């Protein structure tokens, strides 16, 4: 039993060793490179395994490049692979650029790929321009009429500005700004409706693709609709605001007139009370209680006058009541 177990272990170890040998010594890939006319040494393939590179990716793309006539090297592909790039996309983009006679170097293609952008898609857009549908831009002509404009922007990739250049949102924002400015420069909105191409010409003349990753081929106005009468709405709002201000001023004048009237009435009552008091003192018919009653009437009159004028009266010191004179004096 022990001998049988030892034999099983030896066989199992031989099988594992055989597969490890095939893993680190990829004879299939080595034969493929020889058959494709791009021979690589076995040591090169083993070195790729040891440093963490999949030899199949390098061999496949090297064969593609050499068959397409591109002088790419193994070191270039290995460096891009170790940097985290997509070797297959870059190789296919280089082949497509050669077929389309577009100058594209490996260094630039690798930089575009490492920047997180799809270099193959960028090259395809450079060959076949893409159309960007814009949202509706709202501009107001000088006569106060709002126009809703929708445009189509045809762009192609500018490979020399693709790394570090602004993307599609910047293109759309700049075109929107240009459309609004062109509509605002029109004296009458009918001019824009009759000649919508004046918008596209004015926008193209501004060079809106500067600093972006694209080159604007054309700007086409897809739709122009008449919106609100902004000028009339502003005038209506201004008139309503003026009406409310006039109403507030009229109410303020009314309140001031009522307050003045109340103050005048209070002064009249005060004068009457003083006359009555003087007559009573002169004739000797004013007693102590009558004097205090007159003072209360005066205080009430002053309070009403203060309420009417909006000023709180201060307490005035009262003179002591005079001694009542005997009757007949």
């Amino acid at each position: 039993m022990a001998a049988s177990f030892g034999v099983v272990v030896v066989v199992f170890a031989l099988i594992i060793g055989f597969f490890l040998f095939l893993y680190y010594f990829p004879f299939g890939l080595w034969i493929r490179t020889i058959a494709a006319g791009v021979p690589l040494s076995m040591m090169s393939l083993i070195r790729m395994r040891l440093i963490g590179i999949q030899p199949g990716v390098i061999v496949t793309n090297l064969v593609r490049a050499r068959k397409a006539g591109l002088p790419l090297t193994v070191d270039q592909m290995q460096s891009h692979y170790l940097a985290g790039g997509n070797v297959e996309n870059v190789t296919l983009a280089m082949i497509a650029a050669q077929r389309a006679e577009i100058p594209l170097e490996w260094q630039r293609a690798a930089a575009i790929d490492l920047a997180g952008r799809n270099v193959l898609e960028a090259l395809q857009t450079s060959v076949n321009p893409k159309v960007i549908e814009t949202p509706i831009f709202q501009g107001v002509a000088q006569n106060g009429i709002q126009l809703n404009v929708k445009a189509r922007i045809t762009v192609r990739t500018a490979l020399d500005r693709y790394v570090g250049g602004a993307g599609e949102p910047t293109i759309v924002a700049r075109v929107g700004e240009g459309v609004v400015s062109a509509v605002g420069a029109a004296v009458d909105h009918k001019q824009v409706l009759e000649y919508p191409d004046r918008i596209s010409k004015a926008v193209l003349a501004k060079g809106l693709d500067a600093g972006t990753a694209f080159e604007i081929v054309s700007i086409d106005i897809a739709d122009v609709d008449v919106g609100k009468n902004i000028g009339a709405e502003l005038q209506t709002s201004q008139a309503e605001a003026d009406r409310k201000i006039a109403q507030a001023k009229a109410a303020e004048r009314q309140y001031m007139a009522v307050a003045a009237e109340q103050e005048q009435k209070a002064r009249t009552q005060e004068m009457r009370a003083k006359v009555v008091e003087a007559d009573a003192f002169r004739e000797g018919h004013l007693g102590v209680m009558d004097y205090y009653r007159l003072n209360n009437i005066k205080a009430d009159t002053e309070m009403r006058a203060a309420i009417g004028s909006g000023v709180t009266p201060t307490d005035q010191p009262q003179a002591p009541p005079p001694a009542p004179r005997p009757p007949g004096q």
Side-chain angles (χ1 to χ4, degrees):
M1 292 294 295
S4 300
F5 180 74
V7 172
V8 172
V9 172
V10 171
V11 172
F12 187 71
L14 289 175
I15 294 174
I16 295 177
F18 176 73
F19 282 107
L20 288 175
F21 178 79
L22 291 180
Y23 178 79
Y24 285 101
F25 294 85
F27 284 99
L29 291 176
W30 179 61
I31 295 174
R32 181 180 176 184
T33 58
I34 295 175
V38 189
L40 289 177
S41 65
M42 180 61 69
M43 291 304 299
S44 298
L45 299 176
I46 295 174
R47 191 185 309 111
M48 293 181 193
R49 287 290 191 191
L50 293 176
I51 62 178
I53 299 176
Q54 295 184 6
V57 175
I58 303 299
V59 169
T60 300
N61 290 284
L62 184 63
V63 170
R64 287 175 179 170
R66 294 293 176 82
K67 291 300 181 182
L70 293 175
L72 301 182
T73 64
V74 178
D75 292 337
Q76 289 176 328
M77 293 185 178
Q78 288 181 354
S79 299
H80 190 63
Y81 185 92
L82 292 174
N86 193 324
V87 178
E88 183 177 2
N89 273 357
V90 175
T91 304
L92 292 177
M94 293 286 295
I95 296 172
Q98 185 192 39
R99 295 289 187 270
E101 297 182 356
I102 297 176
L104 179 63
E105 300 176 354
W106 172 267
Q107 194 69 20
R108 185 178 299 278
I112 294 173
D113 183 66
L114 292 177
R117 298 188 174 184
N118 193 326
V119 60
L120 185 58
E121 181 181 350
L123 186 67
Q124 291 174 350
T125 306
S126 179
V127 176
N128 298 318
K130 65 183 296 186
V131 177
I132 302 174
E133 295 282 347
T134 67
I136 295 177
F137 303 123
Q138 295 180 345
V140 180
Q142 295 183 15
N143 63 346
I145 303 300
Q146 182 187 69
L147 294 179
N148 301 323
V149 182
K150 188 175 182 181
R152 291 190 180 95
I153 312 171
T154 304
V155 298
R156 64 172 167 231
T157 304
L159 295 175
D160 56 338
R161 304 195 304 262
Y162 203 69
V163 177
E168 294 182 14
T170 302
I171 292 288
V172 174
R174 290 182 180 180
V175 170
E177 180 183 357
V179 168
V180 173
S181 299
V183 173
V187 178
D188 196 320
H189 71 285
K190 295 180 181 179
Q191 298 176 353
V192 180
L193 295 176
E194 292 175 357
Y195 305 103
D197 58 336
R198 64 182 296 172
I199 298 179
S200 58
K201 291 180 180 179
V203 174
L204 280 175
K206 294 184 177 182
L208 302 179
D209 54 2
T212 65
F214 300 95
E215 177 186 353
I216 297 179
V217 178
S218 66
I219 299 176
D220 304 315
I221 304 302
D223 190 18
V224 180
D225 294 329
V226 179
K228 301 178 182 179
N229 192 336
I230 304 297
E233 290 184 358
L234 291 176
Q235 292 177 358
T236 302
S237 300
Q238 185 63 40
E240 181 66 18
D242 294 341
R243 183 183 66 82
K244 291 182 179 180
I245 294 174
Q247 287 181 347
K249 291 183 178 179
E252 181 181 359
R253 289 193 296 269
Q254 182 180 1
Y255 294 147
M256 292 179 63
V258 172
E261 182 180 359
Q262 294 293 334
E263 183 179 0
Q264 186 64 32
K265 288 181 179 180
R267 289 178 179 175
T268 302
Q269 291 180 1
E270 182 180 3
M271 294 300 297
R272 290 177 179 175
K274 288 182 178 180
V275 171
V276 172
E277 180 182 357
D279 292 342
F281 275 121
R282 187 171 55 252
E283 296 176 2
H285 299 299
L286 181 66
V288 176
M289 297 305 297
D290 294 332
Y291 181 79
Y292 278 111
R293 192 181 303 109
L294 285 175
N295 282 337
N296 291 336
I297 293 174
K298 288 173 61 179
D300 183 63
T301 302
E302 291 176 356
M303 182 182 66
R304 293 191 180 187
I307 293 175
S309 61
V311 180
T312 303
T314 58
D315 296 332
Q316 299 291 338
Q318 301 292 336
R325 291 179 295 178
Q329 291 184 1

